């Protein structure tokens, strides 16, 4: 039997039908649209029912129909309590729900949901306990739920001495049919996992390449979320300056569309609009912190109070969930960054004890059901001169292990690095090959070294027996990053050394960090349009890779090209992708090949279709000249991408 570990994964119900004489609520609709209070429509992921739910003589709920990869959300009536109850509902209760289909079993842990509609009511009390589950298999499913009560039971593995709290109708059944989604919506293809150094849709042959926004890191420091504010403004060397104002994203209000989600009679529109805009550019990933207490922004935390680490803000977290669901429907991966270098030791002094386990449990439970998500162990993880109280090797390994063993969906776990060696390598040398870390969220200060660093750590990981997925997520220098289009219209160094250097060296993706000392920086950016050109350039690279390359089977061989700072990525005997910073007298060594290759050119700045140049084909067995590309149509530049395909 295939058993998946007990995690914290739950399902939220925004609209529910109370079945007569039952203590269970179900999100039921005859279609995938529900009405908000303002009359706007918003997409939900709930079940589709062809008729009324039925309850048999054993109080088993049945006749529910869900779509594959859509979230199943079930609410149970349990004891009446509150966020600040003396008997802590987050720590002293544990809802376990077992979902079974054939020989596949998922053990999912539920969470306290106040009144079941806290995103709208801001309730901090109630008797609703919720579970979320995303089924991957078609066919019949059953579930069985149990609620336990014992001091600290939420972070203890032993339930034998716990009291069982009665919840009626704790068993049910439902059917899963094929997903009705298409395009970038992750419900069309399923869950992303780490495989052979890349993101891959689980149980398919489809791979996925990441391009997106690394800033603002405090994305969730947003005025429309309940109880969200800046604890203190700051203006320190080494970080972006802040004021008392938090994010409102006013310029993106126009990007919200009728039918998009909102909460509380119109809140959330500007953030939803910002995500709409980013998705429209082809970007598919956003990096954000879920806790920056003691960190740079000091405006994001999941707790009811920022100095009480065992009580969570139910309504705020439900509002986060509304945003996360929308991101998934727009094809945006949730890059969840769990802590900052300044607060690595805030919980349990860096250990994975009661407080850290509880924090991780709640996030996994409430948000782990999402299909495209990776857990980042923390920004700049490990001690540094400016933050000497970082986690040590034993502590970061314990944290990674706990996440992998608690998350039932096997989401990738990444480690965000320092920006240079030996500070970076001292940490990575001790964790490379560790099976509970799936890869690196790389920070790199010197742009020209990007390709070499990625290739080196991919090789080190492979030699250590556990391949790493490496994404280039924070390019330096820390004060600069990716500046505005108005400051750097063609983003030449980012395009050459970082974007194409990463992807043609085996990197699994790129995110753009905005730096600390430029307008619209890593903490105060309100308008993603300020870097519209950068998103376009990034999307050109993503489209080229997806349409032309089996990149997950390719290897970097930069020395095959005669030009300095050129890159070569190849699947031997099949295809070569070359980045040439200039094309004059460019050659490639094909002495190890046989047969003919057709030659195409791609414009990395202006994008477009593949084009023909002065040479149509080259033949293996010798060093071959690549000829000249076509004339540039659009903004002038010297760099080109050359594609060789075996005929």
């Amino acid at each position: 039997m295939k058993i998946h570990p007990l995690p914290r994964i739950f399902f939220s119900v925004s609209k529910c039908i109370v079945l007569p004489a039952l203590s269970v609520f179900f999100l039921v609709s005859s279609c995938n649209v529900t009405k908000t209070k303002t009359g706007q429509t918003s997409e939900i992921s709930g079940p589709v029912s062809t008729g009324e739910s039925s309850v048999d003589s054993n109080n088993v709920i049945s006749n529910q129909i869900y779509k594959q990869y859509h979230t199943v959300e079930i609410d149970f009536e349990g004891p009446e309590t509150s966020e600040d109850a003396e008997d802590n509902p987050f720590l002293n209760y544990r809802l376990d729900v077992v979902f079974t289909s054939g020989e596949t079993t998922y053990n999912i842990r539920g969470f306290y949901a106040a009144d079941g509609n806290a995103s709208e009511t801001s309730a901090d009390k109630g008797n609703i306990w919720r579970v979320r589950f995303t089924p991957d298999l078609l066919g019949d499913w059953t579930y069985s739920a149990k609620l336990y009560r014992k001091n600290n039971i939420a972070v203890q593995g032993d339930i034998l001495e716990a009291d069982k709290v009665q919840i009626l109708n704790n068993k049910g059944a439902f059917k899963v049919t094929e997903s009705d989604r298409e395009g970038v919506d992750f419900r069309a293809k399923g869950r992303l996992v780490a495989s052979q150094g890349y993101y891959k849709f689980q149980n398919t042959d489809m791979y996925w390449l990441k391009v997106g926004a690394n800033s603002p890191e405090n994305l969730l420091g947003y005025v429309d979320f309940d109880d969200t504010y800046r604890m203190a403004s700051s203006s320190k060397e080494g970080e972006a300056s802040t004021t008392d104002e938090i994010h409102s994203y006013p310029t993106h209000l126009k990007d919200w569309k009728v039918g998009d989600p909102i909460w509380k009679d119109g809140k959330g529109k500007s953030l939803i609009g910002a995500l709409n805009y980013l998705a429209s550019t082809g970007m598919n990933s956003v990096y954000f912190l879920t806790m920056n207490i003691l960190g740079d922004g000091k405006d994001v935390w999941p707790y009811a109070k920022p100095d009480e680490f065992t009580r969570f803000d139910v309504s705020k977290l439900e509002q986060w969930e509304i945003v996360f669901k929308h991101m998934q429907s727009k094809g945006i991966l949730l890059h969840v960054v769990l802590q900052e270098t300044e607060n690595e030791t805030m919980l349990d002094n860096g250990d994975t004890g009661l407080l850290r386990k509880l924090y991780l449990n709640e996030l996994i439970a409430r948000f782990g059901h999402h299909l495209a998500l990776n857990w980042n162990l923390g920004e700049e993880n490990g001690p540094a001169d400016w933050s000497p109280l970082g986690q040590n090797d034993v502590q970061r390994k314990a944290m990674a292990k706990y996440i992998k063993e608690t998350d039932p969906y096997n989401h990738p776990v990444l480690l965000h690095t320092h920006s240079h060696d030996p500070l970076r390598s001292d940490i990575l040398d001790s964790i490379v090959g560790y099976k509970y870390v799936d890869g690196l969220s790389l920070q790199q200060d010197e742009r020209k070294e990007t390709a070499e660093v990625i290739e080196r750590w991919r090789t080190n990981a492979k030699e250590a027996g556990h391949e790493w997925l490496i994404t280039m997520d924070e390019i330096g220098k820390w004060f600069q990053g990716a500046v505005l289009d108005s400051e750097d219209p063609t983003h030449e160094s980012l395009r050459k050394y970082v974007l194409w250097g990463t992807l043609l060296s085996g990197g699994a993706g790129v995110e753009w960090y905005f730096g600390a000392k430029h307008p619209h920086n890593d903490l105060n950016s309100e308008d993603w349009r300020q870097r519209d050109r950068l998103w376009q350039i990034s999307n050109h690279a993503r489209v080229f890779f997806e349409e032309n390359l089996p990149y997950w089977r390719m290897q970097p061989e930069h020395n095959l090209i005669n030009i300095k700072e050129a890159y070569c990525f190849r699947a031997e005997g099949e295809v070569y992708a070359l980045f040439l910073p200039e094309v004059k007298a460019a050659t490639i060594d094909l002495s190890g090949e046989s047969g003919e290759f057709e030659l195409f050119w791609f414009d990395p700045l202006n994008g477009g279709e593949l084009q023909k140049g002065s040479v149509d084909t080259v033949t293996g067995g010798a060093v071959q000249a690549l000829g000249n590309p076509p004339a540039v149509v659009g903004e002038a530049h010297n760099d080109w991408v050359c594609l060789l395909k075996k005929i």
Side-chain angles (χ1 to χ4, degrees):
M1 180 178 285
K2 184 178 172 187
I3 302 292
H4 298 266
L6 266 172
R8 295 225 163 213
I9 298 183
F10 322 136
F11 316 14
S12 93
V13 182
S14 54
K15 297 287 180 183
C16 50
I17 295 173
V18 182
L19 300 177
L22 300 184
S23 296
V24 184
F25 291 55
F26 292 92
L27 177 58
V28 181
S29 66
S30 59
C31 61
N32 284 333
V33 175
T34 187
K35 290 286 185 179
T36 67
K37 289 184 177 180
T38 60
Q40 304 290 356
T41 58
S42 63
E43 191 175 314
I44 60 175
S45 301
V48 176
S49 177
T50 55
E52 292 296 325
S53 306
S54 65
V55 185
D56 67 15
S57 59
N58 294 316
N59 284 329
V60 175
I61 308 299
S62 60
N63 289 348
Q64 297 297 310
I65 299 176
Y66 288 86
K67 299 293 186 182
Q68 186 183 29
Y69 303 130
H70 290 223
T71 300
V72 176
E73 300 183 322
I74 305 173
D75 281 358
F76 303 90
E77 282 188 359
E80 181 79 27
T81 184
S82 67
E83 291 175 1
D84 60 357
E86 182 177 355
D87 192 10
N88 189 328
F90 307 103
L91 189 58
N92 296 337
Y93 286 87
R94 170 171 160 175
L95 175 63
D96 288 347
V97 185
V98 177
F99 291 86
T100 301
S101 179
E103 296 186 355
T104 297
T105 295
Y106 283 89
N107 296 299
I108 309 296
R109 201 184 292 186
F111 58 93
Y112 177 59
D115 69 347
N117 194 30
S119 63
E120 292 291 331
T121 65
S122 296
D124 60 5
K125 62 184 66 175
N127 69 337
I128 301 301
W129 303 75
R130 175 166 292 165
V131 69
R132 292 186 176 123
F133 171 62
T134 306
D136 51 352
L137 300 179
L138 300 174
D140 295 325
W141 286 83
T142 62
Y143 68 86
S144 176
K146 295 180 181 178
L147 182 63
Y148 298 96
R149 161 65 182 84
K150 181 185 175 185
N151 286 344
N152 299 338
I153 187 64
V155 295
Q156 293 179 347
D158 185 9
I159 60 175
L160 296 179
E161 297 182 1
D163 296 327
K164 291 184 180 178
V165 180
Q166 184 177 13
I167 51 174
L168 299 179
N169 312 107
N170 58 356
K171 294 182 180 180
F174 56 89
K175 183 181 292 290
V176 173
T177 60
E178 290 186 358
S179 176
D180 56 354
R181 302 296 158 157
E182 57 185 17
V184 298
D185 190 325
F186 288 110
R187 291 170 293 182
K189 297 183 178 70
R191 184 169 297 111
L192 289 179
V193 296
S195 177
Q196 299 183 76
Y198 286 97
Y199 292 99
K200 179 176 178 286
F201 287 102
Q202 193 172 31
N203 301 322
T204 75
D205 295 325
M206 297 182 291
Y207 287 78
W208 183 88
L209 204 64
K210 182 183 83 168
V211 286
N214 186 264
S215 297
E217 67 177 24
N218 59 340
L219 179 83
L220 301 179
Y222 175 51
V223 67
D224 282 358
F225 290 134
D226 282 359
D227 300 312
T228 300
Y229 57 91
R230 176 158 290 125
M231 299 168 63
S233 59
S234 64
S235 181
K236 297 193 305 184
E237 180 64 21
E239 65 182 48
S241 299
T242 59
T243 68
D244 291 337
E245 299 295 323
I246 60 175
H247 291 301
S248 60
Y249 309 113
T251 63
H252 284 296
L253 186 59
K254 62 186 177 184
D255 297 309
W256 183 87
K257 306 297 182 185
V258 174
D260 287 340
I262 54 174
W263 59 91
K264 286 191 169 183
D265 294 329
K267 287 190 174 185
K269 285 185 176 181
S270 59
L271 177 52
I272 294 295
L275 295 163
N276 285 347
Y277 161 73
L278 197 69
S280 74
T281 69
M283 298 301 95
N284 59 18
S285 175
V286 173
Y287 172 111
F288 56 86
L289 289 157
T290 49
M291 182 178 65
N292 64 10
I293 302 168
L294 303 182
D296 297 341
K298 301 178 180 64
D299 53 5
V300 178
W301 54 85
Y303 304 111
K305 299 177 182 178
D307 58 354
E308 171 54 74
F309 304 140
T310 66
R311 311 279 180 163
F312 293 84
D313 190 327
V314 173
S315 64
K316 178 196 292 188
L317 296 179
E318 287 301 289
Q319 290 160 3
W320 286 8
E321 170 66 3
I322 292 171
V323 173
F324 296 165
K325 287 165 65 175
H326 187 68
M327 292 168 71
Q328 296 282 280
S329 74
K330 293 295 182 179
I332 297 176
L333 174 138
L334 310 177
H335 188 161
V336 181
V337 186
L338 296 167
Q339 57 190 355
E340 285 188 90
T341 190
E342 295 90 348
N343 62 26
E344 288 174 35
T345 60
M346 186 181 75
L347 302 179
D348 306 314
N349 295 316
D351 292 337
T352 301
L354 183 149
L355 296 178
R356 189 175 300 275
K357 287 180 179 179
L358 188 63
Y359 170 61
L360 297 173
N361 285 349
E362 288 290 331
L363 292 184
I364 294 171
R366 295 174 188 271
F367 310 126
H369 64 98
H370 289 297
L371 297 164
L373 175 153
N374 58 231
W375 306 110
N376 190 321
L377 294 179
E379 197 170 76
E380 297 169 330
N381 191 264
D385 294 341
W386 64 92
S387 182
L389 297 178
Q391 286 181 299
N392 60 37
D393 185 56
V394 171
Q395 291 173 327
R396 74 176 59 89
K397 285 182 176 178
M399 183 178 175
K401 183 174 185 289
Y402 186 79
I403 294 171
K404 293 297 284 190
E405 292 182 343
T406 303
D407 178 1
Y409 296 126
N410 194 31
H411 293 300
V413 172
L414 304 183
L415 173 66
H416 189 269
T417 73
H418 289 296
S419 64
H420 58 270
D421 297 325
L423 187 61
R424 176 174 56 203
S425 57
D426 285 347
I427 292 171
L428 299 188
D429 284 342
S430 64
I431 204 167
V432 65
Y434 187 58
K435 67 179 182 178
Y436 298 110
V437 174
D438 297 301
L440 300 181
S441 175
L442 186 68
Q443 181 183 184
Q444 171 62 28
D445 54 4
E446 296 294 342
R447 300 179 180 196
K448 292 185 177 182
E449 297 174 4
T450 299
E452 183 276 327
V453 171
I454 289 175
E455 189 175 355
R456 170 159 46 95
W457 283 107
R458 286 186 80 237
T459 299
N460 290 350
K462 189 170 185 178
E463 291 176 351
H466 181 58
E467 284 192 85
W468 268 354
L469 179 160
I470 301 178
T471 56
M472 180 60 251
D473 290 338
E474 186 169 338
I475 193 63
K477 296 289 183 69
W478 67 268
F479 53 84
Q480 183 179 20
V483 299
L484 305 182
D485 290 345
S486 59
E487 297 177 280
D488 186 8
T490 66
H491 300 282
E492 184 172 346
S493 66
L494 295 180
R495 183 177 79 247
K496 292 182 177 182
Y497 303 120
V498 185
L499 179 61
W500 288 94
T502 292
L503 299 181
L504 293 176
S505 298
V510 173
E511 288 176 349
W512 298 116
Y513 160 72
F514 294 172
K517 299 300 181 181
H518 286 255
H520 292 274
N521 64 42
D522 188 37
L523 291 180
N524 67 21
S525 178
E526 293 284 274
D527 184 4
W528 272 324
R529 273 193 178 83
Q530 297 295 324
R531 293 170 173 84
D532 186 77
R533 188 75 167 111
L534 181 59
W535 310 134
Q536 293 176 19
I537 292 167
S538 304
N539 191 55
H540 295 332
R542 180 189 65 82
V543 171
F544 173 83
F545 267 69
E546 291 179 351
E547 292 184 351
N548 298 292
L549 301 179
Y551 53 87
W552 56 93
R553 292 192 283 106
M554 299 176 72
Q555 297 296 324
E557 295 287 353
H558 306 321
N559 60 352
L560 296 179
I561 311 174
N562 68 322
I563 295 176
K564 185 181 179 181
E565 297 181 345
Y567 308 114
C568 172
F569 203 41
R570 71 168 179 174
E572 191 170 4
E574 183 179 356
V575 62
Y576 288 70
L578 320 174
F579 179 87
L580 307 173
E582 57 179 343
V583 297
K584 185 177 180 180
T587 66
I588 183 170
D589 185 352
L590 295 177
S591 57
E593 292 283 4
S594 61
E596 283 194 309
F597 290 79
E598 192 170 8
L599 194 152
F600 301 91
W601 295 92
F602 179 77
D603 186 333
L605 179 60
N606 300 299
E609 301 295 324
L610 295 178
Q611 303 177 61
K612 282 290 191 174
S614 63
V615 174
D616 281 335
T617 62
V618 291
T619 304
V623 174
Q624 297 287 3
L626 298 172
N628 297 316
V632 173
V633 177
E635 199 163 359
H637 60 94
N638 294 323
D639 53 315
W640 281 87
V641 174
C642 184
L643 178 69
L644 306 180
K645 300 180 73 172
K646 186 70 175 289
I647 298 175

